[in-house]
């Protein structure tokens, strides 16, 4: 697995940005273009953009927390699965362990914030975490889509 | 795509301040939006319409901005962005009667933004109108 | 130098694509967005896009020549210099050693092709080559521009 | 942005086939353009106008396409893309009199594309018109 992960790190289309909130827009554009090319559809592309934005924002705000670092996103299509890896070199943190806010509580009685991980989760079909060999984190997000007549080339 | 904010005035049954957002609301700019509204409140605005028609993206930090705007427009101590999101407390709104506050209303959310509001339940905090005209009529 | 080069490899905004000609459009979009953000101006941005496209195309066609590999572009602004590094993991080749076609010969009497390196050179103010530590190539392209009243932030 | 090719017919003093290019002409698609023109020649086209108005980008491989198109429209053996660019020879056009061939003409190149043609000297191979109307009048 580490072998295939490293191969994907080497050759899939990948955007790396410095850990600055002003770079989030570039990550979103990158995702949007890649999802459009893959034929994921408007809603699917928007959801992928949302999930990646939340993951990258957390890496920058909570992970790097002002220290220098990078966040990297790579994309690949495997059959009907659009697969995104969000990598960073921040301290290890597994967001799949974050407890979801209780949505049955009226939002007026909740604290603001704490919605990012939940939103990311709701936007994709799979979210898996593993530590990055060499330090940092890899969050893998998968969204299924219908390959509506697009040619396989 | 950055965030552009434009401000208009309209009169329904009350004077309405309309803040139209264009572009993408994310972690890099949500505090600017809070500051804009803080200033509007200080200048006397009491009823606010956020026009989301041209907002292409809203991150979860945008939800924090909505929460903060609601506090501000209810005259609660404006949150200090420097203190971080954790410093914001839950809203002191009485929701026991099931009523929705009317001081801050939304209009025009497109698919992606609407899904964010719905998925997180934040839509329950606001009256959400399809467009600006119907929103103005509702104030 | 290797130290600062590796630091830039780690944190500047970077797009890596697999060595496939269908990925050139993504590299061009990336460059265009970054040059626009930096305020390089339309003509300058177009020239940078042209130079990077030619360099990346050569890495794919002549460098990898059908074998798997990657091409990576990072961008940075230093004062009035927009600096692009084009990296690849292809066999070592220094394009600054390529002899320019003789433009005084009428194009009807020239062979087609052989214009890429020349075009890239004409589009930028500096073009320097160095081998990539660990294998491959680094071509650095610099274009000067007027920071017309853009705030330094 | 991919490359879109659309084909029109017009009549000047001769029947003119107009190939309008939209998008970006690069190493991934230049052979498609050559194949389009090969087919047009086989179907009888003898005078060709390439409308570059909506072409946002042309790589040096696009220049190879222009070279090949010129050969094809002069009835020379169509180059074999499989054999690579090196298999293409110089054009057998007589340029000693300083005249420019008229079978393939260009119109509408915008800044970036025009600079590519000028910087490489390829502009000397073609009559280049500002727009489609003036090009049609010139055939
Ligand atoms: N990459 C990360 N590194 C460290 N902590 C994180 C990371 N991502 C999330 N967290 C923690 O999980 C919490 C919930 O995250 P999230 O749902 O995105 O909401 P928010 O960021 O608004 O607090 C954060 O407040 C933080 O404590
Ligand atoms: N990255 C590279 N690796 C190996 N050879 C290269 C590379 N770039 C250029 N060359 C050589 O230099 C020549 C000139 O390149 P160029 O000016 O781009 O024209 P063209 O690619 O059309 O031949 C190529 O034909 C090739 O032999």
């Amino acid at each position: 697995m580490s072998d295939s992960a490293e191969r994907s790190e080497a050759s899939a289309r990948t955007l790396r940005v410095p850990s600055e909130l002003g770079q989030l827009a570039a990550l979103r554009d990158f995702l949007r273009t890649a999802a459009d090319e893959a034929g994921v559809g408007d809603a699917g592309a928007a959801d992928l953009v949302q999930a990646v934005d939340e993951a990258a924002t957390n890496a920058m705000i909570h992970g790097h927390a002002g220290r220098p670092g990078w966040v990297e996103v790579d994309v690949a299509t495997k059959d009907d699965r659009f697969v995104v890896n969000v990598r960073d070199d921040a301290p290890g943190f597994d967001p799949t362990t974050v407890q979801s806010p209780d949505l049955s509580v009226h939002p007026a009685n909740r604290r603001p914030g704490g919605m990012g991980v939940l939103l990311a989760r709701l936007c994709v079909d799979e979210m898996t975490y593993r530590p990055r060999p060499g330090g940092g984190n890899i969050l893998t997000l998968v969204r299924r889509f219908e390959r509506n007549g697009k040619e396989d080339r | 795509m950055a965030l552009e904010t434009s401000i208009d005035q309209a009169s329904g049954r009350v004077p309405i301040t309309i803040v139209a957002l264009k572009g993408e609301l994310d972690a890099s700019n949500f505090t600017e939006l809070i500051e804009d509204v803080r200033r509007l409140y200080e200048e006397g605005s009491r009823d606010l319409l956020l026009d989301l028609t041209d907002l292409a993206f809203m991150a979860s930090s945008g939800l924090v901005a909505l929460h903060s705007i609601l506090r501000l427009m209810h005259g609660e101590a404006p949150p200090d962005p420097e203190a971080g999101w954790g410093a914001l407390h839950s809203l002191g709104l009485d929701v026991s009667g099931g009523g929705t506050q009317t001081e801050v209303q939304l209009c025009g959310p497109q698919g992606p933004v609407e899904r964010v509001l719905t998925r997180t339940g934040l839509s329950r905090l606001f009256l959400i109108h399809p467009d600006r005209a119907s929103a103005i009529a509702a104030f």
Side-chain angles (χ1 to χ4, degrees), chain A, chain B:
Chain A
M1 166 163 129
S2 138
D3 185 48
S4 83
E6 291 322 294
R7 211 173 313 136
S8 125
E9 186 155 17
S11 71
R13 194 193 291 178
T14 309
L15 180 64
R16 175 180 290 203
V17 300
S19 184
E20 298 156 12
L21 297 174
Q23 302 281 348
L24 291 167
L27 287 177
R28 292 194 299 267
D29 286 349
F30 172 77
L31 246 285
R32 215 171 268 128
T33 303
D36 285 349
E37 279 180 25
V40 167
D42 283 353
D47 280 352
L48 282 160
V49 165
Q50 191 92 36
V52 167
D53 179 87
E54 302 296 343
T57 298
N58 278 347
M60 292 175 179
I61 292 183
H62 303 298
H64 294 116
R67 293 179 299 269
W70 51 260
V71 178
E72 185 180 282
V73 173
D74 70 57
V75 296
T77 305
K78 285 171 194 152
D79 305 322
D80 64 341
R81 294 153 49 92
F82 190 87
V83 182
V84 185
N85 291 299
V86 182
R87 295 165 208 265
D88 64 58
D89 63 345
F93 180 85
D94 178 356
T96 64
T97 64
V98 170
Q99 218 201 320
S100 287
D102 182 352
L103 290 184
S104 70
V105 175
H106 193 283
N109 301 327
R110 279 187 242 146
R111 296 160 58 98
M115 288 289 162
V117 172
L118 171 72
L119 244 188
R121 227 179 238 163
L122 294 174
C123 285
V124 294
D125 295 307
E126 296 169 32
M127 175 189 282
T128 52
Y129 171 82
R130 63 185 192 278
R132 179 169 172 274
N137 305 283
I138 307 179
L139 191 67
T140 303
L141 307 167
V142 178
R143 170 98 187 189
R144 292 224 179 66
F145 64 104
E146 292 215 13
R147 314 200 52 155
N148 49 351
K150 267 195 86 111
E151 297 167 73
D152 283 350
R153 292 195 294 164
Chain B
M1 203 177 357
L3 182 70
E4 287 170 40
T5 307
S6 62
I7 293 163
D8 269 314
Q9 303 292 338
S11 27
R13 264 164 303 172
V14 293
I16 306 164
T17 303
I18 304 173
V19 177
L21 302 181
K22 182 172 177 173
E24 304 189 316
L25 176 58
D26 72 0
S28 75
N29 55 33
F30 78 106
T31 57
E32 291 167 30
L33 175 59
I34 300 174
E35 288 313 298
D36 285 345
V37 172
R38 183 208 298 263
R39 196 172 39 72
L40 290 169
Y41 183 82
E42 284 167 0
E43 290 168 5
S45 295
R46 289 297 176 269
D47 287 275
L48 193 79
L49 173 61
L50 286 175
D51 186 342
L52 308 178
T53 309
D54 293 324
L55 189 66
F57 174 79
M58 183 164 69
S60 67
S61 42
L63 303 173
V64 175
L66 292 184
H67 236 271
S68 304
I69 285 170
L70 207 44
R71 278 171 59 91
L72 282 163
M73 294 302 297
H74 282 84
E76 303 187 29
D80 173 11
E82 294 299 310
W85 306 351
L88 308 174
H89 304 291
S90 65
L91 287 158
L93 301 174
D94 180 11
V95 294
S96 53
T100 303
Q101 58 79 31
T102 58
E103 287 81 358
V104 181
Q105 302 188 31
L106 313 182
C107 72
Q110 304 299 305
V113 172
E114 180 161 46
R115 284 193 293 276
V116 172
L117 294 168
T118 308
R119 281 172 170 154
T120 57
L122 258 278
S123 49
R124 296 164 72 193
L125 277 181
F126 301 99
L127 295 172
I128 304 181
H129 308 278
D131 53 44
R132 199 185 272 215
S134 52
I136 290 173
F139 267 89

